[in-house]
Amino acid sequence: MGQRCVGKHNWHAKGRTNVIGALLASCLLTISRFSGSINANTFCAWVAQDLLPQLPPNSVVVMDNAAFHNRADIRQLFEQARHILEYLPTYSLDLNLIEPKWAQAKAIRRQKKCSVEERLAHDVS
């Protein structure tokens, strides 16, 4: 007790897997797996190629304020597709309904001791 904890962790480790998804009501509408970090270009491509084709007409899309969500061309994609894009207030984790889904999927993955690929092969809704 009272001793400094020293260690190293490579936060940019290779092999990281990220998942982007969207909820419709309380079910996952779409999810996609990516190797590596997510940036605005990746997110923009996902919106255009995966999310928008699956949204019902005239949807209202609510996103958190992640840096890669806030690019003008992403907003334009939603507007061109005749959807409304809204952002959650800053620091509003209690309103971000997809976070409990991710926590649930991670807990099941840990419980079953399976890989991300194996977990995504099953229904995560």
Side-chain angles (χ1 to χ4, degrees):
M1 191 159 160
Q3 295 180 356
R4 188 176 293 235
C5 178
V6 180
K8 292 183 180 181
H9 184 78
N10 182 359
W11 293 104
H12 301 288
K14 296 188 184 336
R16 182 180 179 100
T17 300
N18 282 290
V19 177
I20 301 176
L23 284 178
L24 180 61
S26 62
C27 297
L28 284 166
L29 173 65
T30 180
I31 57 171
S32 297
R33 181 178 57 88
F34 298 89
S35 297
S37 297
I38 303 297
N39 60 28
N41 291 335
T42 304
F43 184 72
C44 187
W46 176 79
V47 166
Q49 298 169 17
D50 192 13
L51 178 59
L52 289 177
Q54 298 189 55
L55 283 176
N58 304 310
S59 292
V60 176
V61 177
V62 180
M63 292 192 294
D64 65 21
N65 285 292
F68 56 83
H69 291 168
N70 289 309
R71 222 167 61 179
D73 59 340
I74 293 170
R75 179 174 285 282
Q76 289 172 351
L77 285 172
F78 285 102
E79 290 172 359
Q80 289 169 355
R82 300 191 185 270
H83 300 296
I84 297 171
L85 178 59
E86 296 289 341
Y87 292 96
L88 290 171
T90 307
Y91 305 113
S92 56
L93 293 176
D94 54 324
L95 299 176
N96 193 343
L97 301 179
I98 202 163
E99 291 304 326
K101 284 290 186 191
W102 296 140
Q104 178 187 31
K106 289 175 185 178
I108 293 170
R109 185 178 151 251
R110 279 191 299 271
Q111 179 186 35
K112 296 185 182 270
K113 297 181 173 107
C114 62
S115 69
V116 172
E117 291 78 12
E118 291 168 330
R119 182 63 200 132
L120 290 176
H122 295 80
D123 182 19
V124 293
S125 60

